[in-house]
Amino acid sequence: MERIKLNLPETFSFNTSIPIRITDLNYGGHVGNDSFLSIIHEARIQFLKYYGYSELNVEDAGLIMADVAIEYKKELNYGDIVYISVTATNFDKIGFDIFYLLELNEEGKKVIAGKAKTGMMCYDYNLKKRMPVPLNFISKFQ
């Protein structure tokens, strides 16, 4: 079976921590794939807010997730605090990637719990069409 391998950027521009809630668990007793995606969604919203944006307003552009890739490395369980590093990179005309590094603190050491990438496309929700990535947004990450 061929596995997804994400090459993360060397530096991240934002960090947050998110506790695992009981509602994040699946029937296996650990965080399910749907909740994992929700956790990175929350990290993305916090990342955008840190820079003064929202998914509906990045310098007057909206955002749509065009794709997602996730590498699961370690189970996440109820009560875990997940430390998430986030950054935006790989800008092109209409989109960019957001990378996520999820880590747990185990006995004073950070252990990778997962890696993710979301491909984000800029979108005009009123006109229902793609639009260019705003240059002011790009400049914050270069």
Side-chain angles (χ1 to χ4, degrees), residues 81-138:
I81 305 295
V82 184
Y83 300 93
I84 307 174
S85 301
V86 185
T87 200
T89 189
N90 298 337
F91 292 92
D92 65 20
K93 184 179 177 187
I94 61 167
F96 57 95
D97 292 326
I98 298 181
F99 284 93
Y100 312 80
L101 173 62
L102 291 81
E103 297 175 296
L104 295 172
N105 188 343
E106 292 186 352
E107 299 175 13
K109 295 181 183 177
K110 293 237 175 147
V111 176
I112 296 175
K115 301 175 185 179
K117 176 201 80 82
T118 53
M120 306 304 292
M121 183 175 62
C122 290
Y123 191 75
D124 185 320
Y125 280 91
N126 292 323
L127 299 175
K128 305 288 186 206
K129 68 178 197 172
R130 297 177 297 184
M131 62 183 294
V133 179
L135 295 178
N136 284 341
F137 181 72
I138 295 171

Side-chain angles (χ1 to χ4, degrees), residues 14 20 32 47 55 63 72 76 117 128 131:
F14 175 78
I20 300 302
F47 166 73
E55 285 189 324
L63 296 178
Y72 303 103
L76 297 174
K117 176 201 80 82
K128 305 288 186 206
M131 62 183 294

